Amino acid sequence: MKTFTSLLSVLLLQGFLSQTALAQEERTAMVPLPSQDDFTRGEDGWALGLGLGIEYETAYEGSDEFGFEVDPAGALQWRRGNNIFYFAGEAIGWRGLRADTWLLEALVGFEEGREESDSDKGYLDGLGDGDEGLELVLQARHAFSADWRYWLVGRLVTGENGNLGLFGVGRRFGDQLDGSGLEANLVAVFHDSEFANKDFGITAQQSAASGLNETRVSSGLRSVGVDFNYRHHINDNWQIYGEALYEHFSSEVRSSPIARSNYEAEIGIGFIYVF
């Protein structure tokens, strides 16, 4: 009986240790959010994920034209503890976890700007091409618990073409801790007058060239929206991700002749290979 009890204790201990090891192995992401690329598998050092995505989206802010666009996906990352430095496309940045419930991020990116040719129907003719420029993005998420089930999010985008702010709440679905699953965010977006008129304003010169009414948009609420992010780990190397966004413009934005639609929307899917 004593031998049987000892054997049972060993088996239970092994089972407990196996489950603990599995849980530790599962938590490979710095935070378990599908929207946050993390290719490090929980280890310090370099990591690389490369892939391709395709999006079906509006042609420009306020457009009623839709089209497909193929973009590269993934990033080169370097992790040290709860800090990840990364280079992704036209952006370089840092992401850090603090006190298990604060996710802070800073990045510098390049904004390409709008072009007259973005409208196949000629709705932008006479408006000229928008200015390109660098943007600084600062973001903070604060979770209500360490499992990142619910959180608040704030984001500031500032650059040569004005400032934009975003505030919202988010929720993660599923119990995975490896960064896979489904995530949803409900947000309100605000802009200053410079940023607003970059997309929806029409100067006197542009009005004369395009035939559209001269328009000046003031600072304030830009839109309210919801976005979804999904990620699935097919195996140790392959990931599939998806995203969808719907943004409903404020009444002042909708009054601009450039806003031929009351909303902006996009949906996308892609694959990433983690080296």
Side-chain angles (χ1 to χ4, degrees):
M1 183 67 178
K2 184 176 180 180
T3 302
F4 174 78
T5 303
S6 300
L7 179 60
L8 181 61
S9 299
V10 171
L11 292 174
L12 289 173
L13 179 61
Q14 288 179 337
F16 173 77
L17 293 176
S18 298
Q19 292 297 322
T20 302
L22 181 62
Q24 290 175 345
E25 183 179 355
E26 183 186 14
R27 193 182 180 97
T28 58
M30 191 169 66
V31 288
L33 300 181
S35 62
Q36 305 299 308
D37 285 334
D38 186 351
F39 308 130
T40 65
R41 298 188 176 96
E43 300 178 356
D44 286 353
W46 291 99
L48 176 64
L50 292 177
L52 206 63
I54 182 170
E55 294 181 343
Y56 183 69
E57 60 184 355
T58 49
Y60 56 90
E61 296 279 355
S63 173
D64 59 357
E65 302 171 65
F66 286 79
F68 289 96
E69 183 174 349
V70 178
D71 293 309
L76 175 65
Q77 301 175 337
W78 185 78
R79 179 168 181 170
R80 182 64 178 246
N82 283 331
N83 298 280
I84 292 179
F85 300 86
Y86 60 88
F87 175 73
E90 297 177 331
I92 183 170
W94 160 84
R95 184 184 307 131
L97 180 66
R98 298 294 181 267
D100 292 330
T101 56
W102 282 96
L103 180 64
L104 308 178
E105 185 169 10
L107 69 89
V108 176
F110 180 76
E111 183 193 14
E112 296 181 352
R114 188 184 66 200
E115 299 180 357
E116 282 192 7
S117 59
D118 288 342
S119 174
D120 293 333
K121 298 180 180 179
Y123 295 141
L124 299 177
D125 290 353
L127 297 180
D129 295 340
D131 294 333
E132 301 176 340
L134 293 177
E135 290 183 334
L136 172 65
V137 181
L138 303 174
Q139 179 170 271
R141 297 196 194 199
H142 178 57
F144 295 109
S145 60
D147 64 356
W148 284 84
R149 182 67 61 193
Y150 299 93
W151 61 84
L152 301 175
V153 59
R155 182 187 304 156
L156 172 65
V157 181
T158 182
E160 302 171 68
N161 298 315
N163 304 286
L164 178 142
L166 177 151
F167 305 93
V169 295
R171 188 187 193 284
R172 180 175 68 91
F173 300 87
D175 298 321
Q176 302 96 320
L177 298 176
D178 58 359
S180 63
L182 177 65
E183 166 193 335
N185 293 274
L186 179 64
V187 300
V189 184
F190 300 85
H191 53 200
D192 65 11
S193 59
E194 184 177 1
F195 199 100
N197 286 286
K198 170 181 69 72
D199 294 322
F200 300 105
I202 301 173
T203 65
Q205 182 179 0
Q206 290 174 324
S207 176
S210 66
L212 300 176
N213 293 332
E214 185 177 350
T215 303
R216 178 74 180 174
V217 182
S218 60
S219 59
L221 179 66
R222 180 185 182 91
S223 63
V224 293
V226 60
D227 67 80
F228 299 90
N229 288 272
Y230 174 79
R231 189 181 300 269
H232 175 67
H233 295 176
I234 301 173
N235 53 39
D236 288 342
N237 299 103
W238 284 102
Q239 299 180 7
I240 182 174
Y241 69 91
E243 54 188 5
L245 176 146
Y246 176 84
E247 183 180 5
H248 193 79
F249 294 124
S250 67
S251 58
E252 185 174 13
V253 169
R254 296 197 304 269
S255 67
S256 168
I258 296 176
R260 303 185 63 85
S261 176
N262 295 336
Y263 66 91
E264 178 186 1
E266 67 179 61
I267 187 169
I269 188 171
F271 293 87
I272 294 176
Y273 183 85
V274 181
F275 292 85

